[in-house]
Amino acid sequence: MNKKKLYRSNNGVICGVCAGIGEFLNVSPWVIRTIFLVIAFVCKLVPLLVYVPILLYLGLAIFLPKHPHEKYNDIFTFLNSFGEKEKRRQVTDAKERDIDNKGEK
């Protein structure tokens, strides 16, 4: 039996949370985004619930794992790329040769 797991999607707009939920439920990500926006507007009417949708989305973006078989282009991958130095590749097939001052062999 193949169990579905909830992952962040690579097809998302910001972090892939709504798209991942949409893929899990087999609905369009736009349906999930619309539901999220309706919940956000309703929570804005109640002063104590203003930050609940934002915190919920950020919590899901942090704690939902990325899909293991996809390459990610989300905001977290973008932000993490600033701290990384470019990795150098090891040269394995180079041949050494002498060059004189005129650039000839």
Side-chain angles (χ1 to χ4, degrees), residues 18-101:
C18 293
I21 294 171
E23 289 174 3
F24 182 74
L25 299 175
N26 290 327
V27 296
S28 173
W30 289 104
V31 172
I32 305 299
R33 290 180 187 122
T34 305
I35 292 170
F36 181 79
L37 287 175
V38 168
I39 292 170
F41 282 122
V42 169
C43 287
K44 187 172 175 142
L45 298 175
V46 180
L48 295 176
L49 299 177
V50 172
Y51 297 108
V52 170
I54 297 168
L55 294 174
L56 177 68
Y57 188 88
L58 288 175
L60 288 172
I62 292 170
F63 292 113
L64 275 182
K66 297 177 183 177
H67 197 282
H69 302 297
E70 292 184 13
K71 184 178 178 183
Y72 277 84
N73 295 322
D74 61 0
I75 189 114
F76 290 125
T77 307
F78 175 72
L79 292 175
N80 285 336
S81 68
F82 285 115
E84 296 178 2
K85 293 182 180 179
E86 186 176 331
K87 296 179 182 176
R88 299 181 79 183
R89 294 181 297 176
Q90 184 177 5
V91 178
T92 57
D93 60 345
K95 295 180 182 176
E96 188 174 337
R97 56 184 178 176
D98 292 328
I99 299 176
D100 64 7
N101 292 339

